[in-house]
């Protein structure tokens, strides 16, 4: 099966990825990441979107148990799973091009592939759930593609420096609103006006959540879509601007680490395990201390925003790379029922990511089970566990019979403009 490589020259040989070509550690990490992303997002699925970082926005009680569960999520899940996914996305960009170049293709195949992903992201954002990440992954991926032929060392240095610059800028941008809105600094001088502006912004976000809540509880799905088009049409571009300082460097680091053999045994096992445990230990200690402090200040709005984004970038990187290193090292020895199904969930991560958004519509919308705003944090985690069970239940049997997950197959067909055989 062949396809024209580009408008200038060459024929690209197209073939599905053979089992022997797969890097199993990537599948396992991707499976953990896609499951963890649901755990991070479940509050935003089942409660007003602002409740993701602001417990006061919950429509149910957020008591002591929920507070400690929030801290546990903050330490173990929030930003780490998305970070892992971003790291793997970068690695996947290079892995795809490595195989494309070997078959006579060019980077334009990758650009078209990202454009297709952009379309999926737009559909997801406007018609399913507006917590989408695919759209800004695609847009930032366009910026990574021209850098794929840089040396691995240049990519590594660029990624690290870019991440450091982003960490400094995030800290600067998000510390000042916290100081103005929630400390005595905002009570006098030039910060008084800034305080009022930041407090007004909180009320705007909460009011928007009230509108969305009313639409969801009324079962007006068309109204929800209309609200996104009228009030949130620019959010995808805002997400690109907000997260680019973290996402772009992480993608670049993913490319570099893949090329250095990080995911495929290129580093000594003893060092991988040592630095993995050091990264996870230091990072989790930082997040735990910060989480306890957040509890002491009542999980206030700007303290949460600063802690989530502004003060955690370096510990987050340590945990993301540390977790990846530990899974690379330990996961090959995990061959039981659970590990094999996690790998299968990772191979079908695209379907699982979008599929869970669709399942959550049926769980929380009024025309489904109507549970939006009805479940507290512990109950939402029960929904997460059930959804994880569904991922693990279907992914492996499906992939035993078919070559790709359903949406992986569709994405591949749209990338190459050909219908690939699905059944094994």
């Amino acid at each position: 099966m062949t396809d024209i490589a580009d408008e200038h020259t060459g024929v690209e040989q197209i073939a599905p990825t053979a089992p022997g070509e797969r890097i199993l550690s990537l599948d396992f990490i991707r499976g953990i990441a896609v499951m963890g992303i649901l755990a991070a997002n479940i509050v935003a699925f089942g409660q007003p979107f602002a409740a993701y970082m602001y417990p006061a926005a919950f429509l149910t009680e957020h008591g002591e148990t929920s507070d400690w569960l929030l801290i546990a999520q903050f330490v173990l899940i929030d930003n780490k799973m998305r970070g892992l996914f971003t790291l793997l996305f970068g690695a996947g960009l290079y892995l795809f091009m490595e195989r494309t170049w070997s078959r006579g293709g060019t980077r334009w195949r990758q650009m078209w592939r990202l454009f297709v992903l952009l379309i999926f992201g737009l559909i997801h954002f406007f018609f399913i759930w507006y917590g989408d990440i695919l759209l800004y992954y695609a847009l930032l991926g366009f910026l990574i593609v021209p850098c794929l032929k840089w040396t691995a060392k240049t990519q590594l240095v660029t990624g690290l420096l870019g991440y450091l610059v982003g960490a400094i800028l995030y800290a600067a941008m998000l510390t000042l609103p916290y100081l103005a809105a929630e400390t005595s600094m905002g009570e006098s001088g030039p910060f008084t006006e800034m305080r009022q502006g930041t407090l007004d912004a909180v009320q705007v976000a909460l009011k928007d959540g009230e509108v969305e809540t009313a639409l969801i509880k009324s079962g007006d799905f068309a109204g929800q879509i209309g609200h996104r088009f009228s009030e949130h049409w620019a959010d995808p571009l805002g997400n690109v601007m907000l997260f680019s300082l973290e996402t772009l460097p992480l993608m670049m680091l993913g490319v570099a680490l893949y090329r250095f053999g990080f995911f495929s045994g290129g580093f000594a096992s003893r060092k991988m395990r040592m630095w993995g445990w050091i990264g996870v230990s230091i990072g989790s200690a930082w997040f735990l201390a910060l989480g306890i402090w957040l509890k002491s200040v009542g999980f206030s709005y700007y303290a949460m925003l600063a802690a989530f984004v502004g003060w955690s970038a370096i510990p987050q990187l340590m945990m993301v790379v540390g977790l990846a290193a530990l899974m690379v090292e330990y996961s090959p020895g995990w061959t039981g029922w659970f590990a094999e199904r996690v790998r299968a969930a990772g191979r079908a991560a695209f379907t699982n990511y979008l599929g869970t958004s669709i399942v959550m519509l049926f769980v929380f919308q009024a025309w489904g089970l109507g549970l939006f705003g009805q479940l507290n944090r512990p109950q939402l985690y029960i929904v997460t566990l059930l959804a994880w069970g569904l991922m693990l239940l279907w992914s492996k049997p499906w992939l035993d019979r078919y070559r790709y997950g359903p949406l992986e197959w569709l994405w591949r067909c749209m990338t190459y403009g050909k219908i690939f055989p699905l059944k094994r």
Side-chain angles (χ1 to χ4, degrees), residues 5 24 51 61 87 98 113 115 145 186 218 264 283 296 318 355 386 421:
L24 296 182
E61 182 182 2
L87 207 66
E98 196 173 47
R113 179 173 177 259
F115 178 76
V145 172
S218 70
S264 54
S296 74
M318 295 176 71
L386 292 173

Side-chain angles (χ1 to χ4, degrees), residues 166-297:
I168 294 169
L169 291 175
Y170 281 135
M173 289 188 296
L174 294 170
T175 298
L176 194 57
Y178 162 69
L179 293 174
E182 298 176 0
T183 73
S184 58
M185 184 179 290
E187 296 174 357
S188 60
F191 293 101
T192 305
E193 185 176 347
M194 183 178 182
R195 164 174 277 195
Q196 190 56 51
T198 55
L199 295 177
D200 288 344
V202 175
Q203 294 307 310
V204 169
L206 295 179
K207 288 289 185 184
D208 185 75
E210 291 175 4
V211 172
E212 189 76 13
T213 296
L215 290 169
I216 293 173
K217 290 195 168 186
S218 70
D220 186 1
F221 192 60
Q224 294 172 53
I225 294 172
H227 181 69
R228 288 172 203 164
F229 273 102
S230 63
E231 302 297 328
H232 295 282
W233 62 270
D235 282 9
L237 294 179
N239 287 337
V240 170
M241 297 299 292
L242 176 62
F243 292 110
S244 61
L245 298 174
E246 171 200 282
T247 302
L248 202 58
L250 274 179
M251 286 183 183
M252 188 72 79
L253 288 173
V255 174
L257 290 175
Y258 170 78
R259 295 182 68 189
F260 278 118
F262 178 87
F263 299 104
S264 54
F267 292 80
S269 290
R270 186 181 64 82
K271 289 185 177 180
M272 286 279 281
R273 296 182 186 191
M274 179 183 71
W275 288 112
W277 282 115
I278 288 173
V280 169
S281 298
I282 294 176
S284 58
W286 171 267
F287 280 102
L288 179 59
L290 198 53
I292 292 171
W293 174 78
L294 286 169
K295 186 175 186 298
S296 74
V297 298

